[in-house]
């Protein structure tokens, strides 16, 4: 009532509309809404600029567009798994849809919201939670949308895919803090939510609780030691010694092969030398009994 009775003339009104104009210009500069107040810039009138914005964003065309967006969300929204869309994002998009309907004068009742939630949550492991809520409604319990959303959120927090996703993110965060950004084996949980019992490269950066969990899981499965476990230093040392031992064995093997090759080559060279000497001896023997060499000498004398 006070605003409606405020005078639209005078010194105070001129100062007020200039202040409002400056606020609107600062808020809309560089935004699509800035194009809708360009015609009022030369007047420096905050009242006219605000009216131009209201005429556009509260007009029938904009309302129709908003309702169309809400309808699109209503048809496309669904929750199947944390990998496809987190439950928190799903609820946020639902609330966005409800707000649009409320703004455009088509609000959804609380019962309609609950029915929409039950219909669009399609995770197979949440069926029992939804059935429990439906049983309460049938029994006469007033289950509000907020109560149903909180109940399903608690159920989602116990799902394996939710635990795996959040624990992997937590592990990555711990590695980033310790400077191990490139570690692809972050965290102690596998994709299915089970605890890793094999090699964990960032074992030293894990917390005491995480180490205890890994050790307990290894004991439960009957796994002794293991890289990254309690005996990780001993295992690393033994692994290094085994590698060195293998390299030494390979080196000995190659040396034997090289030695054998040299021996074979030496014997071949020796055999060739003996053949040459025998050929020379044969030539000499032939000369004594009139061989080829003696014939050549006779021909030369003639």
């Amino acid at each position: 009532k006070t605003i409606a009775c405020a005078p639209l003339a005078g010194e105070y009104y001129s100062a007020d509309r200039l202040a409002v104009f400056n606020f609107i210009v600062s808020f809309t500069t560089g935004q699509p809404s800035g194009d809708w107040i360009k015609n009022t810039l030369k007047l420096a009138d905050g009242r006219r600029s605000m009216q131009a914005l209201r005429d556009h964003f509260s007009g029938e065309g904009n309302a129709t567009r908003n309702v169309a967006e809400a309808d699109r969300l209503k048809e496309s929204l669904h929750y199947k798994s944390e990998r496809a869309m987190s439950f928190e994002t799903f609820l946020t998009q639902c609330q966005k849809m409800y707000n649009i309907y409320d703004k455009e004068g088509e609000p959804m009742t609380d019962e309609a919201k609950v029915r929409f939630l039950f219909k669009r949550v399609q995770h197979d492991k949440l069926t029992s939670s939804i059935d429990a809520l439906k049983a309460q409604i049938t029994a006469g319990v007033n289950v509000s949308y907020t109560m149903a959303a909180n109940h399903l959120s608690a159920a989602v927090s116990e799902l394996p895919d939710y635990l795996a996703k959040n624990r992997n993110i937590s592990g990555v965060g711990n590695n980033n803090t310790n400077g191990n950004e490139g570690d692809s084996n972050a965290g102690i949980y596998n994709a299915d939510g089970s605890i890793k019992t094999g090699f964990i490269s960032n074992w030293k950066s894990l917390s005491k609780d995480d180490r205890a969990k890994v050790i307990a899981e290894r004991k439960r499965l009957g796994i002794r030691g293991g890289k990254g476990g309690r005996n990780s230093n001993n295992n690393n040392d033994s692994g290094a010694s085994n590698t060195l031992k293998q390299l030494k064995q390979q080196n000995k093997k190659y040396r034997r092969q090289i030695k054998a090759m040299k021996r074979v080559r030496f014997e071949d060279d020796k055999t060739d030398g003996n053949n040459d000497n025998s050929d020379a001896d044969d030539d000499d023997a032939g000369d004594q009994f009139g061989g080829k060499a003696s014939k050549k000498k006779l021909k030369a004398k003639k």
Side-chain angles (χ1 to χ4, degrees), residues 17-63:
R17 72 178 185 176
L18 181 60
V20 173
F21 173 77
N22 291 331
F23 281 127
I24 293 176
V25 170
S26 63
F27 294 152
T28 58
T29 299
Q31 302 295 329
S33 57
D35 295 332
W36 298 97
I37 63 170
K38 285 186 176 180
N39 294 333
T40 64
L41 294 179
K42 58 184 179 181
L43 301 175
D45 188 346
R47 185 170 181 271
R48 290 177 180 269
S49 299
M50 180 58 71
Q51 188 61 43
L53 292 175
R54 287 174 177 171
D55 291 342
H56 171 67
F57 290 102
S58 298
E60 182 177 355
N62 193 69

Side-chain angles (χ1 to χ4, degrees), residues 19-245:
V20 173
F21 173 77
N22 291 331
F23 281 127
I24 293 176
V25 170
S26 63
F27 294 152
T28 58
T29 299
Q31 302 295 329
S33 57
D35 295 332
W36 298 97
I37 63 170
K38 285 186 176 180
N39 294 333
T40 64
L41 294 179
K42 58 184 179 181
L43 301 175
D45 188 346
R47 185 170 181 271
R48 290 177 180 269
S49 299
M50 180 58 71
Q51 188 61 43
L53 292 175
R54 287 174 177 171
D55 291 342
H56 171 67
F57 290 102
S58 298
E60 182 177 355
N62 193 69
T64 303
R65 184 168 61 252
N66 290 339
V67 172
E69 181 181 359
D71 292 339
R72 180 185 60 80
L73 290 174
K74 191 174 183 179
E75 293 295 330
S76 61
L77 273 179
H78 58 271
Y79 174 76
K80 291 185 177 180
S81 67
E82 283 293 308
R83 292 184 179 181
M85 176 189 291
S86 66
F87 191 71
E88 185 64 27
T89 302
F90 169 74
L91 292 179
T92 301
Q93 293 296 317
C94 289
Q95 190 59 43
K96 178 181 179 181
M97 178 187 67
Y98 303 148
N99 292 338
I100 293 175
Y101 282 133
D102 290 339
K103 180 181 178 182
E104 303 304 333
E106 301 178 12
M108 293 179 63
T109 62
D110 201 66
E111 292 79 5
K113 293 179 182 179
V114 172
R115 291 194 300 269
F116 176 80
L117 183 65
F118 290 167
K119 182 179 180 181
R120 292 301 178 177
V121 174
Q122 301 174 0
H123 199 294
D124 54 351
K125 294 185 178 180
L126 295 178
T127 304
S128 59
S129 299
I130 295 176
D131 292 340
L133 290 172
K134 290 181 178 180
Q136 293 182 14
I137 295 174
T138 304
V141 179
N142 185 17
V143 178
S144 64
Y145 172 77
T146 303
M147 184 187 302
N150 291 336
H151 180 80
L152 293 179
S153 295
V156 168
S157 64
E158 299 176 358
L159 296 177
D161 51 352
Y162 176 87
L163 295 175
K165 178 181 177 181
N166 286 274
R167 283 168 179 170
N168 287 334
I169 292 174
S170 176
V172 171
N174 292 335
N175 284 337
N176 291 341
T177 303
N178 292 292
N180 298 328
E181 294 181 0
D183 191 357
S184 60
N185 294 324
I188 64 171
Y189 294 94
N190 295 311
D192 58 355
S194 60
I195 298 177
K196 294 180 179 179
T197 56
F199 173 70
I200 300 177
S201 60
N202 61 324
W203 176 262
K204 294 182 179 180
S205 63
L206 295 177
S207 64
K208 292 183 179 180
D209 294 338
D210 289 343
R211 293 184 185 183
K213 291 178 182 179
V214 174
I215 294 172
E217 184 68 11
R218 286 172 177 168
K219 286 184 178 180
R220 187 181 69 83
L221 298 177
I223 299 175
R224 297 181 180 180
K227 294 184 179 181
R230 182 187 304 173
N231 301 323
S232 60
N233 293 332
N234 296 334
N235 290 330
N236 291 335
D237 294 340
S238 62
S241 62
N242 291 334
T243 303
L244 182 60
K245 185 177 180 181

Side-chain angles (χ1 to χ4, degrees), residues 273-294:
N274 293 333
N275 291 335
D276 293 340
N277 293 332
S278 63
D279 291 342
D281 294 341
D282 292 342
D283 291 341
D284 293 339
D287 291 340
Q288 294 176 1
F289 296 97
K292 294 181 180 180
S294 60

